[in-house]
Amino acid sequence: MLLTGKELLLDAQKNKYAVGAFNVNNMEIIQAIIDAAEELNSPVILQASQGGIKYAGIEYIANLGKLAGRNAKVPVALHLDHGTDFDQVMLCIRHGFTSVMIDGSIFPLEENIAITKKVVDIAHAVGVTVEAELGKIGGTEDHITVSEKDATFTDPLEAKRFVEETGVDYLAIAVGTAHGVYKGEPKLDYDRIKAIREVVDIPLVLHGSSGVPAESLQKAISLGISKINIDTDIRNAFAGAVKEFVMNNPDEIDPRKILGPATKAMKEIIKEKMEIFGSAGRA
Ligand code: 13P
């Protein structure tokens, strides 16, 4: 069933688990995610970035996501990841996304509040729920790159004001993770998550969660994280399986045979994440 992000995340917040939000670009990734969720009886968020939408086309990605969500035996939300552009967010709402992210984190606080509030007012009027970002998460997610020196952690008092003034439904916070592949082991600022949780009562979101050890993620969940974004780990599983298959079967030309093992590998890593997040069995 297709629900809003808020419906999934409020249950996660109440019951102290996190819903995995997995990035999608094509049919195979969506199938892997839905299969994993149904097998483990887990709620799940399908999220498309602006780059993913550009690659697949809004019609394809929205319709694949809606079809998968409506037919699924588990709660599914279809979410726009890192919408940096007002028009892009509106386009996704028009195409039936049930959840959108407006990422105004590159702007000064006042401007981030203004654009987020504008999106929240419109989205709420048509029953769509909204994620925003405060602080700057480092690394590269598709076309958005934030260098290490520009990454800034979320300030708890700013977070309180931001949530009060925008009416946003869930908030992405910068607490030490980064998008993409890590060079060393990421260090999460747990005290900051706790401090934000104490002054903000909506679900909190962790981006850049690939490559973060399971124990760190579980500690973050225990402190108030309710949505965990994963992209790079799925890409790694996909690419590894395709490379291995092609090396072992250099004469194979059937895309179904080449992509079959990749879909399976993506499904396995997604199931692993759902167990770590505690969302398995929560549908
Ligand atoms: P990773 O690629 O590090 O998993 O980050 C994904 C993400 O946060 C998408 O918004």
Side-chain angles (χ1 to χ4, degrees), residues 83-84 101-120 130-136 154 158-159 161-163 165-168 171-172:
T84 51
M101 176 177 188
I102 174 68
D103 178 1
S105 62
I106 52 156
F107 299 125
L109 180 63
E110 303 294 334
E111 270 176 71
N112 191 358
I113 288 176
I115 182 137
T116 301
K117 178 154 179 21
K118 190 168 154 190
V119 166
V120 166
V130 182
E131 173 178 341
E133 177 172 325
L134 188 64
K136 288 193 190 78
T154 308
E158 273 187 16
R161 182 179 158 208
F162 186 88
V163 169
E165 292 188 16
T166 60
V168 74
L171 183 68

Side-chain angles (χ1 to χ4, degrees), residues 190-255:
Y190 299 112
D191 289 342
R192 190 172 294 269
I193 302 176
K194 215 167 138 203
I196 297 169
R197 173 77 298 156
E198 275 164 16
V199 293
V200 164
D201 63 359
I202 60 171
L204 301 175
V205 182
L206 192 67
H207 282 243
S209 308
S210 292
V212 179
E215 314 77 63
S216 307
L217 294 175
Q218 283 169 339
K219 185 156 183 202
I221 294 167
S222 76
L223 294 171
I225 294 291
S226 307
K227 173 176 182 272
I228 298 190
N229 287 11
I230 298 283
D231 187 3
T232 302
D233 280 344
I234 302 177
R235 291 179 177 199
N236 272 332
F238 175 87
V242 169
K243 279 179 205 159
E244 191 187 328
F245 183 87
V246 170
M247 271 201 330
N248 293 334
N249 304 274
D251 297 327
E252 183 56 64
I253 60 160
D254 183 341

